[in-house]
């Protein structure tokens, strides 16, 4: 094996370190046996370095390859898909170290590690993972440089790496802006590989939403183009639930082609909403929006839905109306759904509702009677309600425990209304949100999850009713923290104050801008950007990209040539150039390809009286230039001698 192509110890260690850093975030979410595999691979490579014969056996490597293939198939149910592919890639890179002996093996590991780094964006594209991968990629670049010059010191190696990276930045920037975008997500995968998601779902049982409030995870962010609505007006509409089985509410409206009828009664609110991935199709909008943006639709519940599941951060521009009349005419099939109740359950609840009906049959008064009941009886808003007992759960809540969260109050209110023939349904979503003053936008987190009700009234259509506001009005006016006891607030995670809160807002603002301008730079934004420069389609963009890259490469080439000319010339070479100029003036011209010894002979023949001085002068130059003897003082002495030289025949 050529010793110049041999994989040395230092680049090998750098490659291993870079690979481990790149694989580390994956190891927490992939199969458990990758950790032992990396440990075994590293140990075997060390034993190979110590010249242990059994560790270098080809049969051992073959056995490991077969074992890894079997583990990948058994632990990921096949060899296709995201998890299987990344698991196989990490395992194969680890095993590649066991047979890496030459420089070309190291180059292959570098390229595979770059590919592994890009696979992180299949899971997330936020600023956190991007900042983590930046030093990882630089480390991989250092390993690549070490492969070709393992003896080079660290400062010049790092200088070269940063120089190359800075030169690539303009081209990268042009590619980001002008390279044609696809209409779908660049890093999205098929629905078959959706990860388990947390957050709202299309069902609701007692305790579901109260569990969400323990999470500080950001759900979406909102930039308002107009005045920001008050907290008690910020109802973010999500899944609508119709069917009740006595314990769980589920979405029962399976006729999404039905169109809603909406009358706007107030000025619109314009805003841009950036939604974090939740791997479902439903979107969130300020209650209520009549128009669906591109790639979305409104179903018969006035709920906004995406054509594909939300697998990466997505932003869309909306217009909503806070005051409206929705569906003044209620179809028979929808009315049937809105009155559905399980048979022979919650008799006390039905009896209570009928007692109000005996006093007045006006639906508006009956709605107020239910709200007054929640407000005037000893009901409590709490994150930790007691479990509901028996099969009559609504009866147990209204007449025994009387301690619950928003889902308890919304559920029991809808059952009360349906018991007396008033169409009603449960709406889930989020309520309120907190302002990030650093970025001037609204943050809505999981702890803002909320459930309320809608009742259909003659001449008014679907009307929002929030029974939680009758029990804990501060929840609607000021947020969830204001409605909880001090003990419950302390039990919740993610709440910061003072400096930590400001730091959290700062980092969230950075993430928001990253998602908005980098991750969210889609086909629509690219077309809008290109329109400013008169570029109307992808063909124009490709032409502009080609011209831009060509111009950049030309400028870089000119810069390199200029830098090369400006490179500091060694003092000895500078003096030798001066000597050639003096000789040319005296009639002895030295071509560029002439060596110093031949030049010396011709000068001595032309100026025999100065032969000794010239021989000493050239001998000093040869020592400085070719034999690498002498230092700066000798070079300076040589320069002074050449400067004083007068060639005379």
């Amino acid at each position: 094996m050529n010793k110049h192509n041999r994989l040395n110890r230092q680049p090998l260690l750098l490659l291993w370190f870079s690979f481990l850093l790149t694989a580390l975030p994956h190891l927490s979410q992939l199969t458990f046996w990758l950790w032992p595999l990396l440990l075994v691979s590293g140990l075997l490579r060390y034993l190979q370095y110590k010249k242990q014969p059994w560790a270098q056996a080809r049969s051992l490597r073959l056995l490991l390859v077969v074992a890894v293939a079997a583990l990948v198939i058994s632990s990921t149910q096949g060899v296709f898909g995201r998890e299987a592919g990344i698991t196989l890639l990490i395992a194969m890179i680890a095993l590649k170290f066991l047979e890496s002996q030459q420089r070309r093996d190291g180059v292959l590991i570098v390229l595979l590690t770059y590919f592994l780094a890009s696979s992180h964006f299949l899971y997330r594209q936020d600023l956190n993972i991007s900042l983590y991968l930046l030093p990882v990629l630089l480390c991989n670049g250092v390993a690549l440089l070490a492969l070709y010059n393992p003896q080079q010191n660290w400062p010049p190696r790092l200088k070269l790496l940063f120089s190359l990276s800075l030169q690539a930045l303009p081209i990268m920037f042009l590619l980001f802006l002008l390279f044609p975008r696809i209409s779908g997500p660049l890093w999205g995968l098929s629905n078959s590989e959706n990860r388990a998601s947390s957050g709202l779902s299309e069902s609701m049982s007692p305790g579901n939403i109260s569990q969400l409030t323990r999470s500080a995870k950001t759900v979406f962010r909102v930039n308002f183009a107009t005045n920001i609505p008050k907290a008690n007006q910020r109802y973010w509409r999500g899944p609508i639930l119709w069917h009740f089985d006595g314990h769980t509410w589920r979405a029962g409206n399976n006729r999404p082609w039905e169109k809603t009828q909406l009358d706007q009664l107030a000025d619109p609110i314009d805003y841009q909403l950036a939604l974090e991935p939740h791997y479902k199709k439903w979107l969130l909008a300020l209650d209520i929006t009549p128009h669906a943006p591109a790639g979305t639709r409104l179903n018969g519940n006035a709920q906004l839905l995406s054509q594909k599941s939300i697998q990466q951060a997505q932003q869309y521009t909306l217009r909503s109306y806070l005051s409206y009349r929705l569906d003044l005419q209620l179809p028979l099939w929808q009315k049937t759904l809105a009155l559905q109740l399980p048979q022979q359950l919650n008799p006390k609840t039905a009896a209570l509702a009928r007692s109000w009906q005996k006093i007045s049959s006006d639906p508006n008064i009956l709605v107020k009677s239910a709200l007054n009941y929640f407000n005037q009886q000893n009901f409590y808003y709490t994150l930790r309600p007691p479990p509901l007992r028996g099969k009559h759960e609504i009866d147990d809540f209204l007449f025994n425990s009387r301690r619950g969260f928003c889902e308890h109050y919304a559920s029991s209110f809808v059952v009360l209304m349906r018991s007396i023939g008033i169409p009603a349904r449960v709406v889930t979503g989020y309520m309120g949100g907190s302002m990030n003053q650093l970025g001037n936008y609204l943050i809505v987190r999981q702890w803002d999850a909320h459930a309320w009700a809608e009742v259909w009234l003659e001449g008014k259509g679907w009307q929002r009713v929030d029974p939680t506001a009758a029990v804990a009005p501060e929840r609607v006016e000021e947020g969830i923290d204001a409605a909880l006891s001090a003990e419950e607030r302390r039990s919740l995670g993610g709440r910061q104050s003072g400096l930590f809160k400001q730091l959290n807002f700062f980092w969230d603002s950075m993430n928001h801008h990253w998602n908005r301008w980098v991750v969210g730079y889609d086909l629509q934004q690219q077309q809008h950007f290109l329109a400013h420069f008169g570029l109307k389609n992808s063909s124009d963009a490709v032409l502009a990209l080609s011209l831009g890259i060509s111009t950049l490469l030309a400028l870089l080439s000119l810069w390199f040539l200029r830098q090369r000319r400006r490179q500091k010339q060694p003092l000895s070479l500078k003096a030798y150039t001066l000597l050639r100029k003096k000789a040319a003036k005296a009639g002895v011209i030295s071509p560029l390809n002439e060596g110093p010894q031949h030049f010396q002979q011709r000068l001595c023949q032309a100026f025999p009286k100065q032969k000794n001085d010239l021989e000493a002068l050239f001998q000093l130059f040869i020592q400085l230039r070719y034999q690498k003897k002498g230092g700066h003082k000798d070079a300076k002495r040589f320069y002074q001698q050449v400067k004083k030289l007068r060639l005379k025949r």
Side-chain angles (χ1 to χ4, degrees):
M1 184 189 300
N2 189 335
K3 66 177 183 179
H4 297 293
N5 290 326
R6 188 171 55 199
L7 186 58
N8 296 322
R9 181 184 178 185
Q10 186 196 54
L12 182 64
L13 289 175
L14 284 171
L15 286 172
W16 182 253
F17 181 67
S18 175
F19 165 61
L20 288 181
L21 284 180
T22 308
L24 187 61
H26 277 316
L27 298 179
S28 63
Q29 54 197 2
L30 295 178
T31 180
F32 70 94
W33 54 262
L34 281 175
W35 285 101
L37 176 66
L38 295 181
L39 182 62
V40 169
S41 176
L43 180 60
L44 286 175
R45 192 66 182 87
Y46 173 76
L47 293 174
Q48 288 178 352
Y49 178 76
K50 292 296 184 180
K51 306 298 184 182
Q52 293 290 334
W54 66 270
Q56 300 177 7
R58 181 176 296 179
S59 57
L60 176 61
R61 297 198 297 269
L62 181 61
L63 180 63
L64 285 173
V65 169
V66 173
V68 164
L71 285 171
V72 170
I73 294 174
S74 62
S75 60
T76 59
Q77 290 78 46
V79 294
F80 299 104
R82 176 177 53 191
E83 277 71 25
I86 296 175
T87 301
L88 185 63
L89 178 61
I90 293 175
M92 290 297 109
I93 295 176
L95 296 182
K96 180 64 180 175
F97 278 94
L98 300 182
E99 65 168 10
S100 297
Q101 302 295 333
Q102 300 185 52
R103 180 193 294 165
R104 66 181 183 184
D105 298 320
V107 173
L108 179 59
I109 291 176
V110 167
L111 297 177
L112 289 174
T113 304
Y114 278 127
F115 187 75
L116 178 63
S118 68
S119 68
H120 287 287
F121 296 114
L122 294 173
Y123 291 94
R124 49 190 293 201
Q125 302 92 39
D126 57 33
L127 184 60
N128 298 341
I129 191 65
S130 302
L131 290 179
Y132 174 82
L133 289 177
L134 184 61
V136 169
L137 296 179
L138 292 177
C139 181
N140 206 36
V142 170
L144 180 61
L145 294 177
L147 285 172
Y148 288 93
N149 193 354
Q151 305 303 324
Q152 188 180 33
N153 294 326
W154 280 92
R157 186 182 294 167
L158 292 175
K159 182 179 179 181
L160 177 59
L161 177 66
F162 282 107
S163 175
L164 292 173
S165 301
L166 288 175
Q167 292 165 32
L169 280 178
I171 298 178
M172 181 191 72
F173 187 67
L174 269 179
L175 287 171
F176 173 78
L177 289 176
L178 301 178
F179 193 83
R181 299 274 165 160
I182 58 176
S183 57
L186 179 62
W187 299 98
L189 290 177
S190 63
N191 294 336
S192 60
E193 285 225 24
N194 286 349
R195 294 186 297 169
S197 59
S198 61
L200 292 178
S201 66
E202 294 185 351
S203 65
M204 184 190 77
S205 302
N208 283 164
I209 295 182
S210 58
Q211 287 297 321
L212 290 180
T213 59
R214 302 179 186 276
S215 170
K217 184 179 178 181
T218 299
V219 183
F220 59 90
R221 303 173 180 89
V222 188
N223 288 89
F224 287 95
T226 53
N227 294 332
I228 301 174
K230 296 179 180 178
N232 61 3
Q233 296 177 314
R234 297 199 294 261
Y235 284 85
W236 304 95
R237 191 181 189 88
I240 287 81
L241 311 178
W242 296 76
H243 187 269
F244 184 54
D245 62 8
H247 176 74
T248 302
W249 287 89
R250 292 182 174 85
N253 183 355
N254 296 318
R255 302 173 71 169
W257 56 86
E258 294 284 347
K259 292 185 178 180
T260 58
Q261 305 167 9
L262 181 66
D263 295 331
Q264 301 98 10
L265 303 178
D267 293 333
I269 302 292
D270 295 318
Y271 56 97
Q272 186 179 64
L273 191 147
L275 181 65
E276 294 293 316
H278 57 73
Y279 302 92
K280 291 181 170 50
K281 290 187 176 182
W282 49 262
L283 304 173
L284 293 152
L286 195 62
D287 207 0
I288 196 167
T289 180
H291 306 294
T296 68
R297 62 182 176 85
L298 285 167
N299 68 3
N301 302 325
Q303 180 188 357
L304 197 61
L305 298 172
S306 174
Q307 294 177 354
K308 299 179 180 179
S309 61
I310 308 301
Q311 301 182 35
Q312 68 175 28
Q314 181 171 325
Q315 55 186 354
Y316 43 95
T317 302
L318 293 167
R319 168 170 287 187
S320 294
Y321 295 86
L322 303 182
S323 180
Y324 55 87
R325 283 198 298 257
L326 178 64
D327 289 339
L328 293 179
Q329 301 297 323
L330 190 64
L332 180 60
W333 67 268
Q334 201 173 71
K335 184 175 182 180
T336 303
L337 280 176
L339 292 175
Q340 175 271 330
L341 283 175
Q343 297 294 322
Q344 298 179 346
L345 288 183
N346 305 303
K348 291 184 179 179
T349 300
L352 175 64
R354 286 194 293 269
S355 69
W356 300 333
Q357 197 175 34
K358 291 178 181 179
I359 299 174
S360 175
S361 60
D362 186 345
N364 295 281
I365 295 177
L366 292 172
V367 169
K368 291 181 180 179
S369 298
L371 295 178
N372 289 336
Y373 181 78
F374 286 122
N375 179 258
Q376 296 171 7
Q377 301 297 319
N378 294 323
F379 284 93
Y380 297 93
Y381 183 77
T382 175
L383 275 175
R384 292 177 287 191
L388 299 176
R389 302 169 185 245
K391 65 178 183 178
H392 305 294
E393 292 186 357
I394 303 298
D395 282 356
D396 187 46
F397 171 69
L398 289 178
F399 298 97
N400 296 324
S401 73
R402 293 188 172 183
R403 302 176 68 86
F405 202 60
C406 59
E407 65 264 37
H408 295 79
Y409 293 103
S411 176
S412 57
F413 177 83
V414 172
V415 171
L416 283 167
M417 294 297 100
R418 290 186 176 188
S419 298
I420 49 179
I422 299 177
R425 60 191 182 188
V426 174
V427 184
T428 59
Y430 295 88
M431 171 68 193
S434 53
M435 283 300 299
N436 185 336
Q437 301 297 339
L438 296 177
N440 194 32
Y441 63 90
L442 187 77
I443 309 173
V444 177
R445 306 181 188 273
Q446 290 291 4
W447 66 45
D448 295 310
H450 193 53
W452 60 95
E454 284 184 339
V455 297
W456 188 86
L457 302 175
E458 190 71 38
K460 296 182 179 180
W462 288 107
Q463 297 290 302
R464 180 175 62 236
V465 180
D466 191 350
T468 302
V471 180
E474 57 274 16
R475 163 65 183 98
V476 176
E477 298 291 339
E478 303 175 44
I480 185 173
D481 286 355
L484 299 176
S485 65
E487 180 183 355
E488 288 181 320
R489 284 197 298 272
R490 286 192 297 269
S491 69
L492 297 177
R495 268 68 166 173
Q496 296 107 0
S497 59
L499 178 61
F500 290 103
K501 185 175 182 180
Q502 293 304 311
L503 289 175
N504 182 274
F505 277 151
F506 170 76
W507 188 247
D508 189 88
S509 177
M510 296 292 291
N511 266 297
H512 179 51
H513 290 303
W514 173 265
N515 290 336
R516 190 177 183 187
W517 301 114
V518 179
V519 179
Y521 187 72
D522 54 11
L523 179 62
Q524 184 178 0
Q525 285 202 13
Q526 186 185 54
Q527 290 174 342
H528 181 71
F529 171 76
L530 295 177
H532 291 294
F533 302 94
L535 304 175
K536 300 179 180 179
N537 50 51
S538 58
S539 300
D540 294 340
V542 171
L543 178 61
L545 179 62
S546 303
L547 289 174
I549 291 179
S550 300
T551 303
L552 274 176
L553 291 176
L555 291 174
L556 283 173
S557 300
L558 291 173
W559 181 79
F560 278 128
L561 290 173
R562 189 174 182 182
Q563 288 297 110
R564 191 171 181 179
R565 290 176 181 174
R566 285 187 171 184
Q567 283 181 350
K568 189 174 181 180
Q569 196 177 43
L571 190 58
S572 59
L573 193 58
K574 185 177 180 181
Y576 187 72
T577 302
L578 179 61
L579 177 60
R580 291 177 63 249
K581 289 180 178 179
K582 287 189 173 186
K585 288 182 179 180
V588 181
I589 300 175
S590 174
L592 291 175
N593 60 348
E594 184 180 30
Q597 290 181 340
H598 189 264
F599 184 32
Q600 172 194 332
Q601 293 173 3
R602 292 198 305 116
L603 274 180
C604 290
Q605 291 175 0
F607 305 98
K609 295 181 181 180
Q610 297 174 278
K611 179 179 179 181
N612 293 335
D613 294 337
L614 290 172
E615 287 179 347
L617 198 64
F618 273 90
Q619 184 62 31
L620 180 57
F621 173 70
I622 291 172
Q623 290 178 357
L624 289 169
R625 184 65 181 169
Y626 298 101
Q627 298 177 0
K628 304 298 181 183
K629 294 180 180 180
H632 180 69
K633 289 184 178 180
D634 294 316
K636 191 174 182 180
R637 178 164 58 88
F638 174 64
Y639 180 77
Q640 293 296 334
Q641 290 177 3
V642 172
K643 195 174 181 181
K644 294 177 181 178
L645 179 66
R646 298 288 183 272
L647 295 174
K648 298 178 181 179
R649 293 185 186 271

